[in-house]
Every structure is written in C-alpha cells, then in structure tokens.
C-alpha cells in the first residue's frame, strides 16, 4: 500500500473514533442540559440518571449535579417545614390574644 492510502485509512479511523466519542458524550450533555433546565423550573429531582455509557468526567459531573439537586430539595423541604412551624406558632399566639 502507498503511504497516501495508509494516511487516508488512519484519518478515516480517527474520524470514526471521534464520531463515536461525540455520540457517547452528546447523550450526557443533553442529560445535563435537561437537568439544568429542570433546576431553573424549581424541579430538583432528576427524572433519570446520567447515561451509564458516558465518559467518566461527564458522568461524575452529572452525578454531582443530581446530588446538588437532591440537597437543594432537602434544604427547601426543611425551610418549608420551619416556616410552617413558625406560622403555626404565630397563629396560636394570635388566637391566645
């Protein structure tokens, strides 16, 4: 085979690998985009886990964002509970007066 043919074969192989990596990471990036969009709507519980086949750094980022959403949801729930408790105390004080 001629050197130009080897070069072309190597370029095609590199392009195929690049395309496969792009497709794999694209799913995770879409998931992260949907996750961020749900956070802007006030929904802090992910509807689905990050794709298992994604690259490790992206998978770790997705897991960290999901954990952050769960922590935010827990803080909101705790604050709501405290507010409701404070409102109940104030209402009972008003009734007592």
């Amino acid at each position: 085979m001629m050197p130009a043919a080897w070069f072309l074969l190597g370029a095609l192989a590199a392009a195929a690998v690049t395309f496969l990596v792009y497709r794999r990471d694209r799913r995770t990036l879409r998931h992260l985009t949907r996750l961020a969009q749900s956070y802007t709507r006030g929904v802090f519980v992910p509807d689905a886990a990050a794709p298992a086949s994604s690259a490790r750094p992206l998978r770790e980022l997705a897991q960290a964002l999901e954990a952050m959403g769960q922590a935010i949801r827990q803080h909101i729930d705790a604050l709501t509970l405290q507010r409701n408790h404070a409102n109940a105390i104030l209402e009972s004080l008003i009734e007592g007066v």
Side-chain angles (χ1 to χ4, degrees), residues 2 12-14 17 19 21 24-25 29 35 38-40 49 59 68 75 81 85 88 96:
M2 297 180 61
L12 287 174
V17 169
F19 178 73
V21 169
R24 178 194 64 193
D25 292 345
L29 291 173
L35 197 61
S38 71
Y39 288 177
T40 63
R59 189 174 56 241
M68 180 182 72
H75 288 299
L81 184 65
H85 186 261

Side-chain angles (χ1 to χ4, degrees), residues 8-87:
L8 182 59
L9 185 62
L12 287 174
V17 169
T18 301
F19 178 73
L20 292 175
V21 169
Y22 165 75
R23 278 191 56 194
R24 178 194 64 193
D25 292 345
R26 184 179 61 176
R27 280 182 286 169
T28 303
L29 291 173
R30 282 186 188 164
H31 172 76
L32 294 174
T33 301
R34 285 191 309 271
L35 197 61
Q37 290 169 340
S38 71
Y39 288 177
T40 63
R41 291 188 309 272
V43 178
F44 298 103
V45 179
D47 56 353
S53 63
S54 63
R56 184 176 178 184
L58 289 177
R59 189 174 56 241
E60 289 173 352
L61 175 60
Q63 291 169 347
L65 285 174
E66 291 168 358
M68 180 182 72
Q70 290 173 356
I72 290 171
R73 178 80 258 158
Q74 290 172 353
H75 288 299
I76 288 173
D77 291 344
L79 290 170
T80 301
L81 184 65
Q82 290 174 1
R83 182 198 62 204
N84 292 344
H85 186 261
N87 285 342

